[in-house]
Amino acid sequence: MDGIHHGSRTVPWESLREIDWDNQLRDTSGDTSSLSFVSGMLLGTAIGLLAGFILAPRTGKQTIDQLRQSRSDVRSRIRQTRDEHEETLAEQGEEAETEMMRRIHRQE
């Protein structure tokens, strides 16, 4: 491949190598310190928190209570399912034991 197609023209590889990428990608504000990044991150966090508080469908306490209730419901369903399976396995075990004893007595 001789170059990169850019719109209707082809840009040769050599011209891409000649570009001063450090200068092209430099922060346009002239502030290259991490302070601008940190301040932007803090501002974004503050805006996100404010939007979350404004748009939240319920209070934090209500959300926590709902999560606790959901956890309780899931635990109850797990216990119920476990108990049902224990009963089923016990019944199947008894049936298998009875069938095995019947076959043993039949062979004697």
Side-chain angles (χ1 to χ4, degrees):
M1 181 177 228
D2 293 331
I4 297 175
H5 297 286
H6 181 70
S8 61
R9 61 190 173 103
T10 301
V11 178
W13 286 109
E14 291 78 27
S15 65
L16 291 175
R17 289 189 196 112
E18 295 169 2
I19 295 174
D20 181 10
W21 290 106
D22 291 332
N23 197 17
Q24 292 290 326
L25 299 175
R26 185 170 17 124
D27 187 1
T28 57
S29 68
D31 182 10
T32 57
S33 70
S34 60
L35 181 62
S36 63
F37 172 77
V38 172
S39 62
M41 186 176 67
L42 291 174
L43 179 62
T45 300
I47 291 172
L49 283 172
L50 181 62
F53 285 132
I54 291 172
L55 300 174
R58 57 184 76 79
T59 66
K61 184 178 179 342
Q62 289 172 330
T63 302
I64 290 171
D65 290 343
Q66 182 183 13
L67 288 172
R68 284 184 180 143
Q69 182 61 43
S70 295
R71 181 182 65 189
S72 176
D73 292 345
V74 168
R75 284 181 178 172
S76 295
R77 281 186 269 163
I78 289 172
R79 281 189 205 106
Q80 180 181 2
T81 303
R82 181 196 64 204
D83 293 344
E84 289 171 1
H85 286 293
E86 282 179 356
E87 290 174 12
T88 302
L89 287 173
E91 290 171 2
Q92 289 176 348
E94 289 173 5
E95 290 173 5
E97 182 182 12
T98 303
E99 179 64 21
M100 188 175 10
M101 295 304 289
R102 188 182 64 77
R103 289 182 182 188
I104 290 172
H105 289 300
R106 190 181 331 158
Q107 289 180 358
E108 290 178 356

